[in-house]
Amino acid sequence: MRFIDSHCHLDFDELTGNLTELMSDATASGITQFVVPGISLAQSKRLLAFGKKHPSCHIAFGLHPYFLTEQSREEMAQLADLAEQHRGKLVAIGECGIDSQCGDLALQQALFKSHITLANRLGLPMIVHHRQSHHLIAQAFKQISPQFGGVIHAFSGSLQQAEYYVKLGFKLGLGGTITYPRAKKTREVVSRLPLSSFVLETDAPSMPVLGCQGQINVPVRLIDIFAQVCQLRSEPETEVAQTLYATTCRVFNLTSLG
């Protein structure tokens, strides 16, 4: 079985010290490709070299709501220019989104809409961050409709919210959250929506699975997440794996990238 970690920050300091070993462990478990999102202008620029050095890593450009500053409006314009120049090297726009627990919400909303516009212009999917902000994301999508779908990163929410995103052409990113029994609503979503609605992700080095709290998360934990999905589904393991892999390839157009 083959897998793709559709969201991991392999360029973060917590992982770079033993990145070769971590990627080798992942590959040995069948995880052959990785999507590494952007979080800031400076880091998005560095991802160009990172992606060239690690061909199994596919990159995206974005401004994460955690890292927005007074300069972010100007940086968004620069990010858009950079994305235009390197559009053939990108598989998505993001990580972007709205987080009600941090920063200036008006700024977040404005920049999120800029990301939607950029993704539409470049014909790319989006990687969307949310936290207690589904209603704000829906408002933005109503104002500027995303044309190429993408992934709702670390989806956590109700069946109704999940169905809304899927109807818009998005897939739901399943990570460590679903390994926790308390995530009842999200686990119900996994069991009830079509299997083609989901992709797997670790968010390494963050979002550890059950039993690994307090530890640095690593890509090989994708296998634990996959095992949890299988427990929540009725399809055979091989079918679950094949569908998740194929869905991720379609979202990010990875078949044309190798």
Side-chain angles (χ1 to χ4, degrees):
M1 294 186 289
R2 294 181 297 169
F3 302 95
I4 299 169
D5 189 341
S6 69
H7 192 120
C8 52
H9 299 280
L10 299 185
D11 60 318
F12 279 19
D13 290 344
E14 297 95 320
L15 302 178
T16 52
N18 58 341
L19 183 58
T20 300
E21 179 183 350
L22 293 176
M23 292 179 70
S24 179
D25 289 346
T27 301
S29 296
I31 307 162
T32 58
Q33 298 182 76
F34 311 85
V35 177
V36 183
I39 60 165
S40 69
L41 176 61
Q43 181 258 4
S44 292
K45 291 177 179 178
R46 291 194 297 269
L47 281 179
L48 290 167
F50 184 87
K52 187 174 182 179
K53 183 177 180 181
H54 303 285
S56 61
C57 294
H58 310 292
I59 65 171
F61 285 176
L63 303 182
H64 192 296
Y66 280 178
F67 304 101
L68 300 183
T69 68
E70 293 178 358
Q71 288 75 46
S72 292
R73 291 182 187 274
E74 292 76 19
E75 290 178 346
M76 185 67 217
Q78 295 176 52
L79 186 87
D81 289 342
L82 191 70
E84 291 269 12
Q85 295 169 29
H86 300 283
R87 61 194 303 169
K89 298 174 184 175
L90 304 181
V91 297
I93 295 300
E95 181 174 355
C96 58
I98 303 174
D99 190 315
S100 66
Q101 298 301 300
C102 69
D104 179 340
L105 272 179
L107 176 62
Q108 289 188 51
Q109 289 171 296
L111 291 180
F112 182 51
K113 287 186 283 188
S114 295
H115 281 89
I116 302 170
T117 299
L118 177 61
N120 286 348
R121 186 162 75 244
L122 298 185
L124 290 171
M126 302 180 68
I127 299 172
V128 179
H129 171 97
H130 70 88
R131 187 162 62 152
Q132 298 178 358
S133 57
H134 289 306
H135 62 297
L136 298 176
I137 289 170
Q139 285 178 16
F141 283 166
K142 188 173 182 179
Q143 292 174 322
I144 305 174
S145 178
Q147 299 299 308
F148 298 93
V151 175
I152 305 301
H153 165 51
F155 176 78
S156 176
S158 68
L159 182 62
Q160 182 180 17
Q161 289 164 335
E163 290 173 337
Y164 165 77
Y165 287 124
V166 171
K167 286 178 182 176
L168 275 180
F170 283 83
K171 307 302 178 183
L172 309 178
L174 303 180
T177 300
I178 68 162
T179 66
Y180 292 83
R182 66 175 181 267
K184 292 180 180 178
K185 284 196 301 183
T186 306
R187 288 163 61 87
E188 180 189 6
V189 167
V190 177
S191 66
R192 293 185 59 180
L193 281 186
L195 186 56
S196 59
S197 306
F198 307 108
V199 297
L200 299 179
E201 57 180 35
T202 62
D203 200 26
S206 303
M207 214 164 71
V209 299
L210 180 66
C212 296
Q213 298 95 314
Q215 300 178 26
I216 292 174
N217 195 18
V218 293
V220 75
R221 293 298 179 193
L222 196 78
I223 303 305
D224 299 317
I225 298 164
F226 167 70
Q228 188 63 65
V229 172
C230 290
Q231 289 185 29
L232 295 169
R233 303 293 305 189
S234 60
E235 300 92 343
E237 280 193 5
T238 52
E239 182 180 343
V240 174
Q242 289 169 359
T243 301
L244 292 170
Y245 183 88
T247 298
T248 311
C249 285
R250 283 196 298 273
V251 171
F252 296 112
N253 197 28
L254 298 185
T255 50
S256 67
L257 295 169

